[in-house]
Amino acid sequence: MSADISSRPGSAGPPLWRQLQVAAQAVQAVRQGASTTTALADIAGELRPGVQSLVFHALRQLGRAEALRARLAKRPPPPPADALLCTALALCWNEALAPYEPFTLVNQAVEAAKRQRATLPQAAFINACLRRFLRERQELLAATDADPVARWNHPAWWIRQLQKDHPEHWAAILEANNDSAPLVLRVNARKAGVPQVLKMFTEAGIAAHRIGEHAIRLDRARPVPQLPGFAEGLVSVQDAGAQLAAPLLLQHLDAPAPGQRWRILDACAAPGGKTAHLLELCEADLTALDVDPARCERIHQNLQRLDLQAGVLTADAAAPERWWDGQLFDAILLDAPCTASGIVRRHPDVRWLRRPGDLAQLATVQERLLTSMWPLLRPGGVLLYCTCSVFRIEGEQRVSAFVAHNTEAFLLPGPGHLLPTRAGKAAAVPENLPSDHDGYFYARIRKQSMAHAPQ
């Protein structure tokens, strides 16, 4: 456990009390409905790394922190003070995981309260609650252990949904969600091989190992722009589970006619990771679609770094009459909007931002997109439907309903629900990859023609 060198006078970097102030403000913003991306967007460069680490840690432990605060205070203080108190509790309740000594975190949280107008009136209250927690830690932890939200650090509805969808593996999924995610890279097959990149990393003193056909997992996260080969387009950041999409889509495609290339549509394509992977693996006329102009710009930037080309359109995939030229596609990748319940370890705010009603609302969006994309696929073509969700209503149930109502739709073999798995915990949940990955759902649907009708 690290000592609080950052809060000592004359030490390099911003003091811990200042980092706690800004982290608490970000936690408060998430509680009010903002994403961490938005909450952290305007933080100055020097503060950003430390604050982001504190925020992510706090959000992974927020359920326990709120349960402890409920034991320490009859009613919550005003939102800024409550966010600071809960942030401090989230960071220090588990000594084994605490980024600083608990006494240091308490001292610096009280200092943070004293040094800003919004929390100064509650500084003595925050001090009293945190000191009491240090004195009565074991009793308070025991009293909150029976609370599922405190035990698993997820909303109660989320826990119930996982218990329903994955009765044998729900606990392992929640435990994986509370881990931090590794840095995983995809090697650009057009420019390099995995052994070449691993050798380059070894020579640079970077420990990494292979976990998939094109996937490399770094033993320790590093600033991505500083990685060897990144600027030259040799590697990109992409989870090992997400790297299944491109090979799955291409695997069952018929070879194009002589002199022709596949026509592929990547709907909901931003930020372009799957688009790029497809182009790294095949020669194709690829259209990448996204409704958000800013996100389309990210597709352009990613493709430019990798020396790849695609037609990028800013348009709504659910309204093809506004952008489709009438030519059928050989393959469609539909990475549909979803709850993001499979990537919670990378985005710990998601669990606190989602509401139970989001499941049905997003399922309606997914159904509409499937229905809109299907007429654009040629007979014999393949549509890959995927979501970064572990909820069955966004995966298995959505595809089963679609296939049941479309006589031309034939379900090909595929991974189905890919549950989040931690390195060293492979036995905890069934998995489709040999190592660490997020949660996804994949289904391949072929549009039947006479040549492809099932026997």
Side-chain angles (χ1 to χ4, degrees), residues 20-215:
L20 288 169
Q21 282 181 340
V22 181
Q25 291 165 7
V27 169
Q28 182 183 350
V30 171
R31 283 173 148 185
Q32 294 171 341
S35 69
T36 52
T37 301
T38 300
L40 297 170
D42 296 328
I43 296 175
E46 184 183 34
L47 270 171
R48 179 66 179 263
V51 168
Q52 179 170 306
S53 179
L54 293 175
V55 170
F56 276 41
H57 189 128
L59 292 173
R60 292 187 180 108
Q61 305 296 327
L62 191 58
R64 176 73 72 164
E66 291 181 342
L68 289 169
R69 190 261 290 132
R71 293 273 174 176
L72 293 165
K74 293 182 179 179
R75 56 180 178 270
D82 191 46
L84 179 57
L85 175 57
C86 286
T87 297
L89 288 168
L91 294 170
C92 74
W93 80 266
N94 187 332
E95 287 188 271
L97 299 177
Y100 299 90
E101 295 286 348
F103 279 103
T104 297
L105 284 164
V106 168
N107 289 335
Q108 292 294 295
V110 174
E111 186 70 16
K114 293 177 179 177
R115 286 178 176 253
Q116 60 182 357
R117 182 178 304 174
T119 53
L120 178 58
Q122 289 81 39
F125 170 80
I126 291 172
N127 181 57
C129 288
L130 292 175
R131 301 294 174 186
R132 180 186 165 198
F133 169 73
L134 292 180
R135 291 194 307 270
E136 302 176 19
R137 174 195 300 272
Q138 296 308 317
E139 296 88 341
L140 288 165
L141 293 183
T144 56
D145 277 342
D147 180 351
V149 177
R151 169 67 180 85
W152 298 107
N153 287 294
H154 285 70
W157 73 266
W158 190 299
I159 298 170
R160 290 193 297 269
Q161 189 67 46
L162 284 180
Q163 290 171 332
K164 176 183 176 182
D165 286 353
H166 304 285
E168 297 181 5
H169 307 292
W170 64 271
I173 295 171
L174 293 172
E175 287 177 350
N177 285 351
N178 288 330
D179 276 355
S180 58
L183 178 56
V184 178
L185 305 174
R186 183 189 74 246
V187 175
N188 184 348
R190 285 184 179 270
K191 293 191 172 187
V194 170
Q196 175 189 346
V197 173
L198 284 175
K199 181 176 182 293
M200 184 170 57
F201 281 7
T202 299
E203 292 172 348
I206 300 173
H209 57 279
R210 185 175 197 160
I211 61 170
E213 185 177 1
H214 303 107

Side-chain angles (χ1 to χ4, degrees), residues 232-397:
E232 296 78 16
L234 271 62
V235 294
S236 299
V237 176
Q238 190 178 41
D239 181 76
Q243 292 188 39
L244 283 180
L248 282 171
L249 180 64
L250 300 176
Q251 184 176 348
H252 287 281
L253 287 186
D254 295 334
Q260 300 294 313
R261 304 205 306 178
W262 284 321
R263 281 177 46 82
I264 299 177
L265 172 64
D266 185 357
C268 312
K274 297 181 179 68
T275 299
H277 197 191
L278 283 165
L279 293 171
E280 290 168 5
L281 298 181
C282 73
E283 297 288 344
D285 294 325
L286 193 149
T287 300
L289 199 70
D290 201 90
V291 71
D292 186 336
R295 287 168 60 81
C296 282
E297 180 57 31
R298 289 193 62 192
I299 300 175
H300 281 295
Q301 292 170 358
N302 284 326
L303 294 179
Q304 183 177 17
R305 182 180 61 84
L306 297 167
D307 296 325
L308 299 171
Q309 291 186 338
V312 180
L313 292 180
T314 301
D316 183 358
E321 68 278 4
R322 300 177 185 174
W323 55 266
W324 184 43
D325 63 6
Q327 297 186 59
L328 296 173
F329 292 97
D330 300 294
I332 297 175
L333 170 59
L334 175 55
D335 189 356
C338 68
T339 58
S341 58
I343 56 173
V344 174
R345 60 182 187 164
R346 296 186 187 279
H347 302 278
D349 54 331
V350 166
R351 72 190 86 181
W352 308 117
L353 294 173
R354 293 299 183 196
R355 299 293 180 263
D358 293 344
L359 285 171
Q361 181 180 353
L362 285 163
T364 300
V365 173
Q366 294 151 9
E367 181 180 10
R368 185 169 71 248
L369 284 167
L370 274 167
T371 302
S372 300
M373 292 295 95
W374 192 243
L376 280 57
L377 186 67
R378 70 164 176 80
V382 175
L383 183 149
L384 178 68
Y385 172 84
C386 59
T387 63
C388 52
S389 175
V390 294
F391 294 138
R392 293 194 183 278
I393 190 174
E394 300 186 283
E396 179 184 284
Q397 294 172 15

